[in-house]
Structures are given as structure tokens and as C-alpha cells.
Amino acid sequence: MIQLLVSRIIGLVPLLLIVSFLTFGMLHMVPGDVRDRILGTDATAEQYEALGEKLGLNDPIVVQYARWLFNAVQGDLGTSAYNSQKVTDAVLDTLPVTLSLTLGGMFVAILIGVPAGVYAGLHRGSYIDRAAVLIATIGQSLPNFWVAMLLVIPLGLIWQVVPATGFVSPSDSITEWIKSITVASIALGTSASAALARQTRGAIIDVLRQDYIRTARSKGLSREVVTFKHALKNASVPVITTIGFQVNGLLGGALIVEQIFGLHGFGSLAIDAVRTQNMPMMQGVVIMGTLVIVLVNIGVDIAYGFVNPKVRSS
Amino acid sequence: MRYGTGSPMQTFDPHRADTGPAFSTYLTLVYDGLTRVAPDDTGDPLPALAKSWEWIDDVTIEFVLQEGVQFIDGEPFNAYAAKANIERMIAAEGPRSRTVASIQTAEVVGTYRLRLHLSYPDPTVTYNLGLSPGMMVSPAAFDNPHLDLNPVGTGPWIYDFENSTIGDVHRFRLNPNYFKGHPDGRADYEIRLLKDSRARLNALVSGQIDFAVLGPSESEYAERRGFNLSTRMSRWMGMTFIDRNGEVAPALADVRVRRAIGYAVDRQAIADVVFFGFAEPRSQPMATLGHVDDLKNYFYYDPQKARTLLKEADAEDLHFVVPVIAPISAGYEAIQHYLKQVGINMELEVVEPGSYAALARTRRFPVNTIGYPTYDPDSRHLAIWGPEAAYNPFELNTSQLETIAARARQTLDEELREQLFEEYFRIIVTEVYSLVFVHVMDVVAYDGERLADVEVSRYIDPRLREVKLAPRVTGL
Amino acid sequence: MNTATHAPLTGTQRFLRAFLRNRLAVIAASYLVFVVLVALFGQYTLVHSPNEVNLSRALEGPSAEYWLGTDHLGRSTLSRVVAASRVALEAASLGVGIAILLGAPLGLVSGYFGGWWDRISMRIVEAIIALPALLVAIAIIAILGPNLTNAMIALGIANSTAFFRLMRGAALEVREELYVDAARVSGAAPTRVVFGHVLPNVTGPLTVQTTLAFSFVLLAEAGLSFIGLGVQPPNASWGAMLSVAQGFVYQHPFLAVPPGLMIMFSVLAFNLLGDGLRDAWARVDHQGEPTGAAKRRMGSAQQQDTESRAQSRDAADNAALLQVQNLEVRFPAPRGGELAVVSEVGFSVPAGKTVGLVGESGCGKSVTSMAVMGLLAEGGRIAAGSIRFDGEELVGLNETQLNKIRGAKIGMIFQEPSSSLNPAFTVQNQLGEALRVHEGLTNRQADARAIELMDQVGIPGASQRASDYPHQFSGGMAQRVMIAMALACRPKLLIADEPTTALDVTIQGQVLDLLSALQEAYDMSILLITHDLGVVADMCDEAVVMYAGQVIESGDVDAVLRSPGHPYTAGLIASIPQNQKRTGKLQQIPGRVPPAWDWPRGCRFFPRCPAASAACNQPEHIALTRLASGQDSRCVRATDIDVKTLW
């Protein structure tokens, strides 16, 4: 188990190197740079050159990358293109929002998707099963920002049970934090829960066909024990894998949905960085986004190890 | 007092800051300048940290400074501090440094007396020192690398760095030692960044903020929901023809074609529908100084006239590409439709706001669509029409305009300046260097039960310094 | 003869049939065809062009002129939705096209050639999967500028990994298979191998994956356009229209409805289509279905069975521990109706004795044993007959009542010990379960007893191994665990379903010896289900031979083995491995047991029987008859041929 964890974390290094070099290289092809910001609109060509020299923008890209990397390993992802704000700080400031939405969406997805899938799988062929499958398929087809847009009107504006905009840090107030991410999490979780429900249903059906379920029944165990002990733990193996796959989608959805609630997460940071050509920031967001996905997936792997002893011991 | 803004804080270092919404939202709360710009339409320079000033001669101006003022770090404000600030500002070469390029040296002539020596007579210097270049920073903080994130000024509010999150919520406490004291109703500020106008409206409606700048459709709804609106004409929407020699779009070299565009568009419909009435049809760029009375209705909606002009100019199958940024594209989509009616095919290319400035400095597009302010003609000259202007990529020879603008810049005679700028804008409008369709209103919506004295400033955001809690709120 | 003269369907025909039976998928496919037609030709039917501004008609609701109302510039929402459907399909085709063209060939090459190329490719794929797809799309837009093509390139690359993995997997699989090796040896070019063998195998998954990619890209395109980084104004896209609608949600909420529904329906259609295709392919892979003629025959055969519920052996043997009479088990037929897969089965297991239930796979012996346990697979039911155990009738008991017997009085072990143990729990945990349930032991007691049991079945180091997981045990050891588990509550009857088939030859003997030893120690009966008469000879007191759902011979094991009364039994005897080699198949009887819907009338063994005569399939039904040697046989010629010398 620990070995698995260590190897996964070591595996991160080349991944982050590739990702960072690619983004670094690509983002340097963008027309215009930091100097537009610093010098404003009225600068002369000499000022432009001089500043470029001072900031090291005239060095070859590999040198610039090496410099960036040297700082990055020490936790310094560079400085915003238009003030002294550290990219690391900006990314860490917005991380709670993106993480909250991603995990909140995941939570909602599991909360709805898994029980629905288990129920449908256990009652295969029943009307409820068929209805659940159809609802899940429809749910999977809903654009989450549309759901968010439609949900915020009644919940945030008419009844005002949750705030229509803004994010409250969990360190300030847990209940307010939950309220501030509820609608977004529901919107994000709907489509993910649909995918999860379908997977869970499939996994349950599959597991119920397994020999060991027959064995469990041959021991005279009640249906409940067979289902909730023997079937569920095994069915959770493919389900957990699916959850891992969902993380990328949830993070992507969070970027868009946060716009609707005026939340300042990676989405705002990235869109803003695109709009203001704040390339150090863009770079930082992509790296952090990758890190979030990989770390959540490592978390998923740990959960996976819990339900799958084969992974744990090998 | 909770305010929702769409403008992100960029830097708290005034000498490296531009003058714009970020300045009027964040910097004006924590800094004072030697002068301050009157918040009304006149834009006159008023006393601030300087009690008064006088011209010693054409190129020397002397300021008499407030006594007993302290920066929030306890440093005293005096002529030495002011001199250090002026010198730092010149050395910083920030985005606004060109507007005060006339200042050569600063001289301390008494503990509270400062002289500025100019290289040429510059009547705008007192105005420009009321903006970001003239803000006074504690000299002890000059070398602080985080000055741009944590300001040290003399202003009525103190930035609460600890309880703020850049790009989300910025909090300001009242400065207990503010040298002018505080009027009743002034309170701490919480400024929330909500980029999207819809998000600001949602926050306002659900009571999360007290006031905010809103877009046209949101303003209309806010008014229906009983919020008070404060409005101010601030920008023009139009097209500036930067390729008047016809390198990229030959037909646009003909002034008749440019005029035809002016007649092809139904300005009233755009003002009413696209802007929900929060705009007015106009033919010329300036609202005050530089406004030419007899050109008031120079352009009007007459597609037939437009077609005739195009025929005269022999311009058929006219086609050109215009860059727009997404937030303002609706208006240009409407214009595109009107131009099509008279046979002009105007294509829109949506560009990122961040790339726009860089692109507008290339020769890729014959037209730019930047929405400029309707005041301060000299700044507009320097940016748009002057021969050295950043947005003159085709390097058109506008020495005629430069001559007029230079004369206006260097005279202290108000009437002469008005005449000169009338002459200037007669050329801009009739020769169609720039074509104006409407002047757009900035709208601030607020809860009249809670706030008083909410008015829109020149820079899109309301004059935050003047806002107060309504008497009934403070009375509680 | 009426043995299925129906022409077999080709794969494509079967696929189409299966697909067309899925109503939702057909509706989805028709809808998509409709959307494609609208995208291609819709623009010619429109009254208003999609970008036609009419400021005097802005933000109107649906009307006769504007069926779906107008937007903030007075443009027709209907026209824009139509124009946007073209944009959406073009964009999605581009994104999916890039994904396939990039992912599929690379995956094919990677899987087929393997080696370092494969390892590097997999690393890159892992890296791409870890990238936040949408953030990368935004970054690429930052570089290339906001437009749809750039966004789609980004999404295409992100999506190509799915196709890469699919094709790689398929190529790897094919590579392993012998026929490709053969093709390679015979000098076939790799391209021919690829096109001849790999592609046909992946057509199904590939089409399914394509529909899923379409729905993914459609949603992502809408999202990017929604935040203003996709389709640019004035051009319409569903996402961009929603973005505009968001600005007028209060004034004109209807604006958000048409584009939102269009996204939803299109994505839904792709998803449903994907589901339909997947199901249809899955059905094609399920070979063989009853043909019409066979089904008709089935019906009459069943009637016969129920009519003549004949006498069965030892019908009134009250001394027996387990007594099965006239058992008939039915399962739903693949095309509706029911099939009797076991009928007229009767036998008994006396206390302390071992009875062998023998036959090839598919003959119904496992179904019979599961019927005894009350564990018939989903859909199966006992249609007739009686199962008496220890004086109690089991047929008709409910789950709770059965649970009191299962594991407590009847234990069962299965063929595949490794898959019959739950991989997610320790063996100790699984061993103790029955004890906790039936004997009310505490966890600690159960754990201690589990170790004792493991010790008894000869697992070395039981106390250390108790907390191991099943995958840590070898096949033989796992079967010992199974046996310990089945015996935990000292049952009176052990049903052993092919307990040694999956084990190595050397282990088989050990396990059988263990069973014999335990039978003595526990004083229990064993119902041993096997295809191997050798095992029966070693272990059993009585033998019950089954073929095609019927008992065709039963009696004392010595009698049956010495002088078989049925050609089938004789065939089985002839196929006992001479030396103890592990063989799964019986070489000596040609052909295999036909599926239930193809059982012939009369003698069901008739088509494979070397002694078949016209008399064999004359009677509709053949009853068991007692032979001189003491056993019962279902052969009409049992008396007039020398069964023993047939093979």
C-alpha cells in the first residue's frame, strides 16, 4: 500500500515536468507579453527592449524554463504579469473554491448516483430500474452550467435559501461554506451522478453474477448480508475507478459553473489570465489543475486499495 | 458598505498604476494626491494634500501643502515626502508617466512648500497630479516589494490586507487619523470582485452587496426591482478608422464611404434596444470640452443617403474586418446588420480583451472599436489621433491635429482651448476619423434605503469616497 | 428431419435486428438523423436568416412569425438554433475526428508492436489523462485565440486517449491469439493482420466509443462557448446562445430553453444510441438463439414431459436423507416463453453415503444441485416435483426458511475455488460467517473456530494464514478453504459441484482424499457432481447419470460401472482417463450436449448414439426401466444391444 503510494508520487515527477514544459513552451508563443501591462499603451520600442532585457525575456526559452523550474521546485511558480502577487499565492487562494466545487460535486454524485445505481442493479428489469436508467441517461446529457443557471433562480434569488453568489471558506463557517457551494455542487453532481449510477448498476449486476455471491448464499446468509457485505464492497471497485475518471470532468465543470456564481476559482483565474495574457498565471493554473487531478486520483487509488486487497498487497 | 465591482485590483502602487476603474475603485480609498479631480463633469483640479497652488511663471508651479498629515505608518507628510514621491513617479515610468512628462524637477522651498519645474507650459499638470501619478506614498514604503499589494498612503481608508483575498474580497477600514476626519455615515468598505454583471445583479438582489455597476439589461431589471440608479454618460461606442489611406481596406480611404456608414446605422434603435435606453445617440466623441454644438446631429439614420454616398464613391462589394471584444459585441452585431442593409459587409472578429491592445497596434484591422471616454480630449489625442499615438499603426500623418492639440495643451487660456478643441473635433467628425454611434451610460444600482450619495465617477465605478450609509441606517 | 433447417443470420443481420428491437435507441438514431438533416438543409427552409437583426422585435416570445421567439437583437431563436445545430455537429465531428484519427492508429500500432514504443505511448497517454482537459483547452485558446477550431483541437487531443486505449487493447488481444501468429508465420503483412483481424473485433466498441465521444465533445463545446471561448458572435452556437440567455434570465427566461433543450436532446440521443449499439453488439456476441422450428418443438416436448410424469427410482425411499422426485426446472427462453432445462429428475441420497451426479456440461446436473439449494439463477424456477431433505419439503420454502438450511444443514462447494471466494474479505471472515449466522458465535469465537477449521482441512500455518485474502491462496488451498467453509456448521449433506475439475492432477487426489476423510469424521452424505466417472468410481456408492436434463441411468455404482445400461453411460466410462491426466473434454463421444431448445424428441441422446435406430426417436417419451443388473435406464434398446461393447 505504502509502496503503491510512493511509486505513484514518484510517478508524478516526470508527469509534471512534461506538463510544465509543454505549457511553458506553448504559452510563450502567445503574441504580446508582460511588457504591455507594465509599460502601458504609450511605451517606446527602446523601453520595450530594455524591460525585456531586465526581465530576462530575451533569453532562450530553455533558459527561461530552467529558471522557472528552479523556482518552481522551491514552491515559487513565478510572479503575476501585472503585480507582485505570487502565482503560488493566487493559485492557493483560489484552490479552496475549485477543490470545494470538485469535491462537492463528487459528493453529490456519490450521494445520488451510488444508491440509485445499487437499487436499480438489485431490482434489475423493474420499472424503477428502467426509470432510473432513463433518468440517469438524461441526467448525463444535461449541461451542468445550464442546470446551475436554472437552479440559482429559485434557490438563490426567489427563496434565497442559499447565497446566489460568493464563496465562504470552510475555516470561517462550515454551514455557510456548505450553503455557498450547494447549488454549484448539485449542478456539477447531477451529470456525474448519472454516470456513476449507470456504472454502479452495471457493477452490481455484474457482481451478483459472480461465483462468490452464490457461495455466500449457499452459506445461508440473508439477502441483506449478501447484498450489502459481499456485493457492495466488490461492486465498489469499478465504481471507485469511475469516480476517478469523473474528477477531470468535474474539475472542468467547476471552471464553468463558478462563473455563474461569481466564484473565484481556477476558472476565473484561467479566463482572466487568458484575457490579460497573464501567462505565468496561466502556467500556474494548469500545473495546479494537473496536480489536483492527480492527487485526487491518488486518493481514489487509496480508496481502491481499501476495497481491493489485491492492490494493497502487491 | 459592500460594493460589487467588475474591475480586478491590479496594483496598489500608484506610480505604476494606470488611471481607470481599478484606480477609482481601490486606490482612491487609500491614497490622496496633491490635488484631486472634481468628481463632477468639469473635472477641475481641487485641493487635496496641497491646500493651494500658484503658477510662479509659465513653467514653475508652487504647491502649499497640508500640515500635520501622517501616513498610516506614522511617517509625516511634508514637502520632502512629496518631492520623493514626484521623483519616484518619474523614475518608475508607469503607464501614466507620459501625462506628466512636463515635470522636470521638484524642489523643496519650505517644509510645506513644493515647487515643480516644468519643461514646457502644461495646464494639465494639476489635473494629472490628481490621478494615479500624483498619489502620495509613504517614503518609508518605497522599497517595500509588496507595496503593490499592501498600500501605505494617507487616505480615508486603510486597506485590510489580512482580511482580504486578492481577486475576491478586498476590505478597507476607516483611517482613524484621517486628516480631514470623516463625515457622518462613512463606514468600512467591503469590495467584492464579481466580474460578471449578472453575478453582480444576483448578489445585489439577494442582498449580498449594497451597490454595484450594472450592464444595461441588469440595470433595467434592478430598476424594476426598486433599486435606485445613478447614471453618467461616460464612453462612446463607435469606430475609429485607423487605415484612412486604404492599405487594408481601400474603400475606407474615401471619406464618403465612412460617412455612408454614419448614415446607415439607426442610433436610436441601438440605444433603446441594445442598451435598454442606457445610451443616447450621438455623432461626436466628446461630451464637454471638445463638443461642437452645431455638429450635434451631424449623422442621422438615412440608409438611402448612405446608399447614394456609396454609389458616388463607387464602392461596391465593400468588405472589411473589425475586431471586437466579446462584452461589447452585441452593439457591433447590430451595426453589422445595418451595414448589410446598404451593401457593406462588415465582418466581426472577436478577440480577447488581453490581446486587443497588442492587435490594435498592428496593421491587421482597418478599424478599431475601443470605447473611449467622452472627456479629456488631450489624452484621447495622445492615444488615438496624434501622429505618435499608440493606436496609429498605419502611421498616418496627423500633424495638423498635433499642431492644434499642442497649442491647446500649452495655453492657460480656457476660451482659446475650447476653440482649439472645437476646431480639432470638427475635423474628427466631418472627416470621419472616428465615427460615433452612441454615448453609453454607466449605471450604478444601489439600495436607497441603505446608502446615500451614490454617484457614478468618470471611471465607470461610483465615487466610492462620497458614498455614505443612509441616515436611517446610521441612526439605528 | 426437423433439426433446425432455418438459415443462420449473418452477424450484421443479427446486430440490426437486436438494435431495431431497442425502441429508445431507434428513436435516438432517428432524432440524430433529423438533426443532421436540419443542420445540412435547415437553413434553406428558414424565413429569417440566423444573423438577421430586427431591433424592433427584440426579446419576443414565441409567435406565428417567430416560432421560438427572438433574442436581444431581435434575431429569430429558431433560425439560430438551426444554424447552431450545424455548428455543433461540425465542431463535434472535428473534435471526434481528431480524437479517432490521432488515437486509433497510434493505439493500434502501440498494441500490435508493443515494446518500448508502447511503453512511451502509454506514459504520454497517462500524462494526457491527468491533464485538466478543459483548462488545457482554455490554455490552447489563450495561445491560438478564441475560436471553435482551436477549442476542438484541444478537446480532440484530450479525447484521443480513449480511442488509443481501445485500439491498443484490441490489438494486444488479437496479438495474443494464435490465428494471428499463424497469419504472421504464413507471411501475412501486418496491415492485413490489422485489417483482417483487429478491426472486425473492435467495430462494436469503436462505434460505441464514438457516440460517447460525440456527447462529451458536444457538452464541452457548449461549455467553452458559454464562457465565451468557443464560437464567437454573431455566429450562433447552443452554448453561446445560453450565454446570451443568461444575461436576460429575468426579462426573458424562455431564451434559455431552446438552446438548453437542444444540447440536452442531442447529447441524450448520442448516449441512447451508444447504449443501443452496445446492447446490440453484446447480443451479437451471445451466439445462438433458438430458431423458430426448434422453439415449436420445445413446446411439444414440454407438454410431453408434464403429461407423463413417470415413475422414478426409489420414489418412496423414506430412509434417504435427500430425496428428489420428478423435479422440473424451467428457465425463461431467450425469445420469450420458458424452457424446461431439467425434467423428471429423481434420485435420493441415503444418510452417510456418497451419490455421484454424472454428465457432461450442459446436461443439467448443476441446475439440479442448485435447485436443491434453492439457488437457481435469476429467472429459474422449480416448475414441478419435490425435494425432501431430512424429512422436510424444500420446494416452496421462502428465503428465510431456506437460509436456515443452507450452510447449516447443507453445505456446498464449487468448481472454481478462486472465484467462489469473495476477493474482498479475509478467509477468516468468510469462514466465520456461517458460524455467526447459524450458531450465533461471536466474532472472536468465529475467528478461533475458523482457524480450527483451516487446520482440519490441512492448511499449514492456519493461524497465520487466516487473515490472508483469497488471492493469496493456491487453487488447492483455496478449495480446502471452501471445504472448511462448507463444513463449518457440520452439515448433514455436502453438495460438491465438480470440486476437483479446476485443480491440478496431483491436488485432485488430495482433495478427494480429504473429502472422504471428512465424510467419515463428520458422518455426512455427499452429493458429488462431476463429469468424471473415474472420480465416481473412487468416491461414490451410487451413480446418477444425466443427459440433456434427464436422468438416463441410475443405480449402484458398481452395477453402473460394470454393466452400464445406457449407451451414454458406456461412452462416459470409455472416456475415463487411463492415466490420471487432467482432461476437460470427453474425446470419445462425438458432438456435444445440444442446447435445451434443440433437444430431439424421443431419446435425447439419439443423434450422438452409435446404436441409434429408428425405434429410438419413435416414442414421444421414453420412461426409465429397471434392468436385470439392478439399475434404471432410459434406453429403449437397453435390452437388445450389448451396451458395454458400443464404444
Side-chain angles (χ1 to χ4, degrees), chain A residues 46-94:
Chain A
E46 297 98 79
Q47 279 178 308
Y48 224 72
E49 269 311 298
L51 188 63
E53 199 62 52
K54 194 174 127 197
L55 298 176
L57 296 175
N58 301 342
D59 293 336
I61 178 166
V62 181
V63 175
Q64 293 191 44
Y65 174 70
R67 195 159 42 216
W68 178 88
L69 190 64
F70 179 74
N71 292 325
V73 264
Q74 300 167 49
D76 177 4
L77 293 171
T79 307
S80 158
Y82 53 86
N83 57 33
S84 75
Q85 192 185 20
K86 287 287 173 199
V87 170
T88 314
D89 295 344
V91 172
L92 290 180
D93 276 351
T94 47

Side-chain angles (χ1 to χ4, degrees), chain B residues 8-29:
Chain B
M9 203 293 290
Q10 291 172 353
T11 172
F12 270 119
D13 184 344
H15 304 148
R16 293 193 172 88
D18 207 338
T19 304
F23 170 73
S24 61
T25 306
Y26 303 99
L27 272 70
T28 52
L29 297 180

Side-chain angles (χ1 to χ4, degrees), chain A residues 42-239:
Chain A
D42 308 336
T44 63
E46 297 98 79
Q47 279 178 308
Y48 224 72
E49 269 311 298
L51 188 63
E53 199 62 52
K54 194 174 127 197
L55 298 176
L57 296 175
N58 301 342
D59 293 336
I61 178 166
V62 181
V63 175
Q64 293 191 44
Y65 174 70
R67 195 159 42 216
W68 178 88
L69 190 64
F70 179 74
N71 292 325
V73 264
Q74 300 167 49
D76 177 4
L77 293 171
T79 307
S80 158
Y82 53 86
N83 57 33
S84 75
Q85 192 185 20
K86 287 287 173 199
V87 170
T88 314
D89 295 344
V91 172
L92 290 180
D93 276 351
T94 47
L95 181 65
V97 172
T98 302
L99 216 52
S100 297
L101 292 197
T102 307
L103 296 180
M106 204 158 151
F107 178 76
V108 171
I110 293 171
L111 202 69
I112 303 174
V114 170
V118 169
Y119 188 89
L122 291 178
H123 300 84
R124 189 152 85 113
S126 68
Y127 283 107
I128 292 181
D129 171 40
R130 271 183 254 170
V133 169
L134 190 63
I135 290 171
T137 313
I138 293 174
Q140 220 172 349
S141 314
L142 289 171
N144 45 31
F145 54 94
W146 192 49
V147 177
M149 223 168 108
L150 299 180
L151 280 182
V152 75
I153 299 174
L155 295 178
L157 298 168
I158 298 176
W159 303 323
Q160 303 199 357
V161 287
V162 295
T165 61
F167 176 75
V168 179
S169 165
S171 59
D172 291 345
S173 159
I174 295 282
T175 48
E176 288 306 309
W177 169 68
I178 291 172
K179 276 189 187 174
S180 72
I181 62 167
T182 300
V183 182
S185 298
I186 292 174
L188 281 172
T190 326
S191 56
S193 75
L196 212 53
R198 288 163 58 101
Q199 280 295 334
T200 308
R201 175 180 178 274
I204 288 281
I205 289 171
D206 192 48
V207 163
L208 288 180
R209 285 198 202 112
Q210 297 297 316
D211 290 347
Y212 51 78
I213 294 299
R214 189 181 56 186
T215 309
R217 294 188 65 197
S218 80
K219 284 192 279 190
L221 303 182
S222 68
R223 189 168 281 275
E224 288 71 33
V225 174
V226 172
T227 304
F228 290 102
K229 179 175 172 186
H230 288 268
L232 222 51
K233 193 167 174 192
N234 284 290
S236 57
V237 172
V239 170

Side-chain angles (χ1 to χ4, degrees), chain B residues 13 15-16 84-92 137 142 147:
Chain B
D13 184 344
H15 304 148
R16 293 193 172 88
N85 266 282
I86 298 288
E87 283 165 356
R88 179 175 189 270
M89 180 271 291
I90 293 168
V137 181
F142 280 1
L147 176 65

Side-chain angles (χ1 to χ4, degrees), chain C residues 302-318:
Chain C
Q302 279 166 24
Q303 248 176 354
Q304 281 306 320
D305 290 345
T306 36
E307 272 168 22
S308 58
R309 192 142 290 138
Q311 66 292 43
S312 89
R313 190 173 205 260
D314 294 337
D317 184 357
N318 286 324

